[in-house]
Amino acid sequence: MEPAVLGGKLASSLVAPLVKKLFVTGGPGAGLVDRPVRLDRLVSFRGERRTLGEREVRLLAGKLVGAALDSPGEPPFPPDETDAVADALTARLLALGDLDMDDVQAVRLGHAELAARLRRQTARSEDGLSTDARYFLDSATEWACLHILEFFTRRSTFVARTLVEQTRGQAELIAKVDELISRVPGPDARDTAFERRYLPYVADRHNRLTIYGIDLRDSPDRWPLEVAYLSLEATAEEERTSALPGEYADPERTVRLAAEDALRTRDRVLVRGDAGSGKTTLVQWLAVTAARDGDRVPYVLPLRTLTRAGALPSPAAFLTAAGCPLTPPEGWAERVLSAGRGLVLVDGLDELPAAERHRTRDWLLALIRAFPGNRWLLTSRPTAVRPDWLAAEGFRELALTPMRQDDVATFVRRWHAAAEAPGFEARLLDSLRTKRDLARLATNPLMCGLICALHRDRRGYLPTGRKELYDAALAMLLARRDRERGMDAVELSQEAQLELLQRLAYALVLSGRTEMAVETAEGIVERALPSVASAAGQGDAATVLRALVLRSGLLRQPGEGSLDFVHRTFQDYLGARYAVEEGHLDVLAGHAGHTQWEDVIRMAVAHARPGERAVLLRRLLAQDTPRLTLLALACLEHATALDPTVRAEVEARAGALVPPGSKEAARALGEAGPLVLELLPGPEGLTDAEAHGVTVTASLLAGQEPSGALAVLRRFREHRSLDVRRQLAGTWGRFDTAEYAAEVLDHLHRPDLLVACETEEQRAALAAMRPWHGLSLRGGHAVADVLAAVPSPAAVTLIDIRDNPTLDDLGGLLPFSSLGGLWVQGCDAARGLDKLAGLPLVDLACGRISDLTGLGALGSLRRVSLDQELPGDCLTDVLPTAAELEFLFLGRHTTDRTGLRGLEHWARLSELSIGPLTSPLTAADWRSVTALPRLTRLHVNRAIVTRFPQSVEAMPELPGVTSLRVTALHGAEDLAALASRLPGLRQVTLQTHPGKRFAGDRHAPLFGDAEVTVDER
């Protein structure tokens, strides 16, 4: 019989008083004077203070046994064993006085072990008992021990003595730990000591930036990063899974931010950028700032170096693989990553062969899953991997944008300050403003540096084309560098250096890598020496190669035993030169499908003779793919002389891709370069989708050819399509503020359109335009400044305010007396919603603001969108109960505390939108939904079937819902259960996750006769 079952026969009201009699009642205090306080000092039947004898204990045991026999139900043992059982129980109770422990130790021991010790002390007392009697005896002993320990814990001295015991034990433990620490430094101490050396090392190692061209006499070739670093801009296409109603996502300007801010809001980022756009410099900047701030431990991992050893490194090998000479304590890297303190910067995905990129992704994802909570950044050229390559793993994709005119001017000033050549600065800035061809080349830090260096070196003369620019740069670096520095060593002519360098470059291009072993390079030089007469007599291959590394300025040794070019652009340029000289047109055309070869093929067209250009371009067209057709079109820019028939064929084939019919086609078209602008048509005869595609392409090319892009966009300023107008309004930041406002924005059809103001200049430009009814204010605009810039505040009917840390009192918006819509998101200090009760608000959206408590005062609302946790326990605690809501959006964390409880209060609600759930919905939540008589439209996020499928299981049938939208779908989700709950559907919209593509055929049969459409984002 278990003690709990026995408890039904031995009630606590009987056992507790009997057990209490067994022990002496102690006085207050901790009972430390007579120490230790053993059980034999506590029982009432031992020592001088005894109040019970064995006879009295026998009577107590007899009462316990008799009570068990007299209780209803089957007797626990045969009645003729009553006396024997009572005797045995008496012996066990008396054994309490023989135990060598105190009450604290007994409680720590537990009732079961205490009973076992009593049983062992009196093993002979149960001889002759039946099995049932013994079982009862053991159970009764355990039950009594439960009450004994309960009695001990209620004594006044027990609590005090327990605290004293704990204090003494802790003091002893602390003393022992202190002694251990003094003898053996703990991992934390060793880690801290190592990081005091490692972080300054990282900051110093990466705090140097090569500014191309500043390497002549009396000029260092590396400059402090904080002096030379130029903050570049990146754009991101954000996932709008919880987009507030009315918010539109313009993919070309959704988010614009300084590239170094990439990791401030997301822990995983993939940065794409063209050659020379500053990806590696961004990695250096992030490493240096993290090392100096001390909040993260940076690891800079250049993939070209890591893959040289074959297997990609584990955290323990990060420093060794990256060439760091410091030796960390064993397990240090894992402890850093396990604590979520790491910043892992993986540079150069595009520098790996395509076959190795999947292996690299598996390595990276294994690290991320093993060590969550760290920050991860990966860099790549734009086309190295598909757009959604890491989207499923939560990576935010950023694209480094071409430098704007202001960025170029800043770079030029810093370059000339670093080179101590102020006399050339103003002349170059004038040239960049007046010469379109030159300005088109100055789109990234690499090209800007070359232009600055050549401009100074040639006393103001500059080539106009990309090939001519590279030729001049190579001439400067190869022919003049040693002479300017006055070096005496191996004599290699410019042509000899070029011959050897281009062979090394071509070998790297063929291997799909950007780094090779020194032994491999020596073998290439050795095979070339017999045919390079001027180099053959200068020494063996190792000597000549060493001279190339030291003198050319184009080769470097990033690690022991390895070699690479200072920039990938020079490798591609020289590799293309060698391929053309050797007549390897078939090799070039055969690799055209590989994204790593795009720049090689463009430069090959530049190096080739007219006949060779025609052959290569025709072979690109023969493969009949949109990408290679556009690559051929991009090559025309470098084809100075070309058969007119071939040029016309390329333009005609590319013209078939114009106008682009989708955003994806528009992006692909934009990659062909500024010459596409000449092919883009006006709005006449175009569908709305084609017109939108044309404006997207022109917007993308604004950084390279602002005047040409503006000319294209100006043609669409009277267009009535909302998507086109949104694109035109959204690309304002790519152009001169005042010019674009006058030429495009002020002509746009205003209904349903917001003009976005991100800068002070844009805000000021509002005053010069016709009144806008919709304003989108991003960043720290003061309300007073906005009012001063808006000619007629009463004309404004919709305001969208985002990411404004200075906005605190929403009452400042009252002068916008006609305001019917207000969207506030990312304004952490914003409060005072109740002050807006005097405005005619019908549409309110709030996300990440300070206080929602005033929301209940806005009784005029018809549409409400919320994207943060609600303060109440029920929706009626927060939402305005007097409002006749027709639409409600509930985003992340909104339902965590309230669920959907109280939703039935708004009987006029016809449309309910539920964002990505962060907690499941219950049957009670769905009952509130079923109580809505007018509900016909339901929007849900994919999380309802992927993350919280129990929400769908709890969902009842909703026959009144006729329209369903499911957002952020990847395509493989199982929507069967959701479809079965909505038998009345007539229209279903499946909205894709950004970058995902799938056909609706797989899901359509689930929804019966409903019309199913796929909305691609």
Side-chain angles (χ1 to χ4, degrees):
M1 185 177 299
E2 298 294 333
V5 177
L6 182 63
K9 296 180 174 294
L10 298 178
S12 296
S13 58
L14 171 65
V15 178
L18 295 178
V19 167
K20 189 174 181 180
K21 291 181 180 181
L22 294 173
F23 298 94
V24 176
T25 301
L32 300 177
V33 178
D34 185 14
R35 216 182 146 262
V37 184
R38 299 295 177 182
L39 292 190
D40 61 359
R41 301 291 296 164
L42 296 177
V43 295
S44 299
F45 43 82
R46 285 292 178 92
E48 298 177 357
R49 294 182 293 174
R50 66 184 180 186
T51 58
L52 298 178
E54 291 188 17
R55 178 173 173 274
E56 288 80 3
V57 175
R58 175 65 173 74
L59 290 174
L60 292 177
K63 289 183 179 181
L64 289 173
V65 174
L69 290 173
D70 293 341
S71 62
E74 181 183 355
F77 57 85
D80 59 357
E81 292 187 276
T82 302
D83 292 340
V85 171
D87 291 339
L89 183 57
T90 300
R92 290 191 178 184
L93 294 177
L94 289 172
L96 284 167
D98 299 325
L99 293 179
D100 187 21
M101 68 177 68
D102 58 26
D103 53 348
V104 175
Q105 293 169 330
V107 171
R108 189 180 300 127
L109 198 64
H111 75 279
E113 181 57 29
L114 179 60
R117 291 204 179 188
L118 294 177
R119 183 169 61 249
R120 288 194 293 270
Q121 290 277 96
T122 59
R124 293 184 179 180
S125 63
E126 57 189 71
D127 292 346
L129 294 177
S130 65
T131 301
D132 288 343
R134 289 179 178 178
Y135 195 75
F136 170 82
L137 180 61
D138 291 344
S139 299
T141 304
E142 284 197 32
W143 187 247
C145 286
L146 278 172
H147 285 273
I148 289 170
L149 298 186
E150 173 68 14
F151 169 77
F152 286 165
T153 61
R154 292 178 181 273
R155 296 176 69 248
S156 60
T157 59
F158 176 82
V159 175
R161 289 190 61 253
T162 301
L163 292 174
V164 172
E165 291 281 346
Q166 289 177 345
T167 302
R168 288 171 174 162
Q170 289 173 353
E172 292 176 5
L173 179 62
I174 291 171
K176 291 177 180 178
V177 171
D178 286 343
E179 183 179 358
L180 179 62
I181 290 175
S182 65
R183 292 180 179 178
V184 182
D188 287 347
R190 293 197 302 270
D191 291 355
T192 301
F194 175 74
E195 288 171 23
R196 290 197 190 103
R197 298 170 57 216
Y198 174 70
L199 294 180
Y201 164 80
V202 171
D204 181 68
R205 176 179 178 179
H206 297 287
N207 189 32
R208 292 292 182 272
L209 177 65
T210 299
I211 305 180
Y212 294 100
I214 307 182
D215 56 1
L216 304 181
R217 184 180 56 215
D218 301 326
S219 295
D221 59 358
R222 291 170 68 81
W223 295 82
L225 191 62
E226 64 266 21
V227 173
Y229 180 70
L230 177 70
S231 177
L232 296 178
E233 190 175 62
T235 59
E237 195 173 323
E238 294 286 80
E239 178 185 352
R240 299 288 182 170
T241 54
S242 60
L244 301 180
E247 177 187 21
Y248 56 87
D250 181 331
E252 270 50 72
R253 70 156 304 288
T254 298
V255 176
R256 303 181 70 88
L257 74 163
E260 62 268 22
D261 292 339
L263 287 167
R264 291 192 179 177
T265 57
R266 293 285 285 274
D267 288 339
R268 304 176 188 179
V269 175
L270 170 61
V271 175
R272 298 177 187 263
D274 291 317
S277 61
K279 300 185 296 297
T280 299
T281 304
L282 172 62
V283 166
Q284 288 180 244
W285 181 260
L286 291 172
V288 170
T289 53
R292 289 179 174 173
D293 294 344
D295 58 338
R296 294 273 173 173
V297 177
Y299 302 95
V300 179
L301 305 176
L303 282 173
R304 61 179 176 273
T305 301
L306 302 187
T307 56
R308 189 173 67 244
L312 290 161
S314 64
F318 277 0
L319 300 194
T320 302
C324 176
L326 302 179
T327 303
E330 185 176 356
W332 167 74
E334 287 198 13
R335 286 191 292 275
V336 169
L337 296 177
S338 296
R341 298 194 299 121
L343 171 61
V344 185
L345 304 166
V346 184
D347 188 29
L349 177 67
D350 56 284
E351 297 180 6
L352 301 181
E356 294 188 12
R357 293 172 193 165
H358 291 285
R359 178 170 67 95
T360 302
R361 180 175 63 175
D362 293 341
W363 165 77
L364 180 63
L365 296 183
L367 288 173
I368 290 173
R369 288 162 185 158
F371 302 104
N374 296 283
R375 291 180 179 172
W376 311 80
L377 182 135
L378 178 64
T379 71
S380 172
R381 285 196 185 185
T383 57
V385 291
R386 65 178 186 271
D388 59 346
W389 199 62
L390 287 170
E393 305 301 329
F395 270 77
R396 179 192 202 187
E397 291 203 5
L398 295 178
L400 292 177
T401 60
M403 294 168 64
R404 302 187 188 189
Q405 291 179 348
D406 291 345
D407 297 328
V408 173
T410 299
F411 185 98
V412 169
R413 293 188 185 99
R414 292 184 181 180
W415 191 97
H416 285 85
E420 298 179 357
F424 294 93
E425 177 186 314
R427 292 165 58 188
L428 178 56
L429 289 174
D430 287 341
S431 296
L432 288 169
R433 282 191 290 266
T434 57
K435 296 181 180 180
R436 288 180 53 190
D437 289 342
L438 183 62
R440 282 170 50 183
L441 292 173
T443 58
N444 62 54
L446 172 66
M447 298 302 293
C448 284
L450 287 177
I451 289 171
C452 290
L454 286 169
H455 183 263
R456 184 185 71 164
D457 189 55
R458 296 190 165 202
R459 305 296 177 183
Y461 167 75
L462 281 171
T464 56
R466 186 176 172 189
K467 177 182 180 297
E468 291 78 11
L469 190 68
Y470 287 144
D471 286 340
L474 289 172
M476 178 183 67
L477 293 172
L478 300 180
R480 298 176 59 97
R481 193 167 188 260
D482 283 352
R483 186 171 71 252
E484 295 282 356
R485 289 185 171 184
M487 291 185 174
D488 297 317
V490 174
E491 291 291 337
L492 292 175
S493 67
Q494 179 180 343
E495 286 302 319
Q497 292 182 70
L498 277 175
E499 181 65 30
L500 296 175
L501 287 169
Q502 67 185 19
R503 293 187 183 218
L504 294 172
Y506 190 53
L508 285 170
V509 169
L510 286 174
S511 69
R513 299 184 180 277
T514 59
E515 192 172 301
M516 67 170 58
V518 169
E519 292 81 2
T520 304
E522 289 176 354
I524 294 171
V525 171
E526 185 175 8
R527 290 189 294 274
L529 283 179
S531 59
V532 184
S534 63
Q538 300 295 321
D540 60 10
T543 302
V544 173
L545 179 63
R546 186 162 53 253
L548 275 179
V549 174
L550 293 175
R551 307 291 186 262
S552 71
L554 290 176
L555 289 178
R556 64 180 180 180
Q557 287 189 271
E560 186 67 29
S562 64
L563 199 71
D564 69 357
F565 281 83
V566 293
H567 202 280
R568 171 76 175 273
T569 295
F570 292 119
Q571 173 185 308
D572 292 345
Y573 179 82
L574 291 169
R577 187 177 189 266
Y578 186 77
V580 170
E581 286 185 359
E582 294 296 309
H584 291 177
L585 300 184
D586 288 339
V587 175
L588 291 168
H591 286 85
H594 301 292
T595 57
Q596 280 185 310
W597 284 68
E598 286 182 357
D599 274 3
V600 178
I601 291 172
R602 291 188 189 196
M603 290 297 95
V605 170
H607 286 295
R609 293 181 289 270
E612 294 169 328
R613 290 171 182 158
V615 170
L616 184 54
L617 291 174
R618 283 196 172 111
R619 290 185 180 177
L620 293 180
L621 295 178
Q623 299 190 44
D624 197 22
T625 65
R627 195 181 71 81
L628 293 187
T629 300
L630 292 175
L631 178 59
L633 180 65
C635 288
L636 294 184
E637 180 181 4
H638 310 292
T640 309
L642 180 64
D643 183 344
T645 305
V646 176
R647 184 181 295 274
E649 184 180 357
V650 171
E651 291 178 346
R653 292 280 294 275
L657 303 174
V658 179
S662 67
K663 292 176 286 187
E664 292 69 31
R667 295 190 195 100
L669 195 59
E671 291 175 1
L675 71 164
V676 167
L677 292 170
E678 299 176 7
L679 301 176
L680 295 177
E684 298 79 11
L686 300 184
T687 65
D688 287 351
E690 289 171 339
H692 183 225
V694 169
T695 56
V696 169
T697 302
S699 298
L700 290 171
L701 294 170
Q704 302 175 54
E705 188 64 71
S707 58
L710 179 60
V712 172
L713 296 178
R714 189 187 294 115
R715 303 175 202 157
F716 291 83
R717 65 189 184 184
E718 307 292 341
H719 207 282
R720 293 302 176 109
S721 165
L722 182 58
D723 285 339
V724 172
R725 291 186 288 128
R726 285 174 172 171
Q727 181 66 39
L728 293 175
T731 198
W732 187 8
R734 297 175 183 264
F735 297 89
D736 177 80
T737 300
E739 182 182 19
Y740 193 81
E743 294 291 327
V744 177
L745 292 182
D746 205 22
H747 299 267
L748 294 179
H749 188 53
R750 301 291 203 261
D752 301 319
L753 189 65
L754 290 83
V755 62
C757 295
E758 298 183 5
T759 67
E760 183 179 346
E761 292 77 14
Q762 290 177 337
R763 190 183 67 230
L766 291 175
M769 290 189 279
R770 293 183 295 116
W772 281 87
H773 306 298
L775 301 178
S776 177
L777 306 170
R778 298 169 185 259
H781 301 279
V783 174
D785 293 337
V786 175
L787 286 168
V790 176
S792 178
V796 177
T797 59
L798 174 62
I799 297 180
D800 178 9
I801 306 175
R802 294 178 183 274
D803 304 321
N804 189 336
T806 67
L807 179 64
D808 51 5
D809 184 7
L810 292 174
L813 300 174
L814 287 176
F816 296 101
S817 55
S818 302
L819 200 62
L822 175 62
W823 307 337
V824 185
Q825 191 169 39
C827 304
D828 297 332
R831 59 177 59 247
L833 284 170
D834 55 320
K835 297 180 181 179
L836 304 179
L839 295 177
L841 283 176
V842 295
D843 185 357
L844 177 70
C846 295
R848 292 184 290 118
I849 73 170
S850 174
D851 189 6
L852 288 174
T853 54
L855 180 58
L858 305 181
S860 61
L861 293 176
R862 297 294 179 270
R863 298 173 59 87
V864 173
S865 304
L866 301 173
D867 197 25
Q868 66 186 77
E869 185 175 320
L870 303 184
D873 296 320
C874 179
L875 292 178
T876 52
D877 294 339
V878 186
L879 299 178
T881 55
E884 296 182 349
L885 297 184
E886 299 171 359
F887 171 90
L888 179 62
F889 169 83
L890 300 172
R892 296 179 188 271
H893 300 292
T894 310
T895 60
D896 287 356
R897 292 177 56 184
T898 65
L900 299 179
R901 294 183 295 279
L903 184 63
E904 63 274 13
H905 175 83
W906 292 274
R908 295 178 62 88
L909 200 69
S910 61
E911 189 170 359
L912 175 63
S913 180
I914 302 173
L917 294 173
T918 46
S919 57
L921 298 178
T922 66
D925 293 324
W926 288 115
R927 282 195 294 272
S928 295
V929 177
T930 59
L932 297 171
R934 299 192 180 189
L935 185 68
T936 58
R937 295 187 294 278
L938 179 65
H939 303 177
V940 295
N941 183 270
R942 68 185 291 266
I944 201 169
V945 295
T946 58
R947 186 176 180 186
F948 296 110
Q950 64 267 42
S951 297
V952 179
E953 295 172 4
M955 182 180 179
E957 282 196 357
L958 300 173
V961 174
T962 59
S963 175
L964 172 69
R965 175 181 285 268
V966 188
T967 61
L969 289 170
H970 290 207
E973 296 85 355
D974 184 2
L975 303 180
L978 182 62
S980 68
R981 268 62 169 187
L982 303 168
L985 287 176
R986 295 197 296 270
Q987 183 177 7
V988 176
T989 302
L990 306 178
Q991 185 184 98
T992 67
H993 183 286
K996 294 293 184 181
R997 300 290 179 268
F998 60 84
D1001 299 347
R1002 176 177 178 271
H1003 299 289
L1006 301 175
F1007 297 99
D1009 297 331
E1011 178 185 357
V1012 178
T1013 59
V1014 176
D1015 178 13
E1016 292 187 352
R1017 291 300 172 102

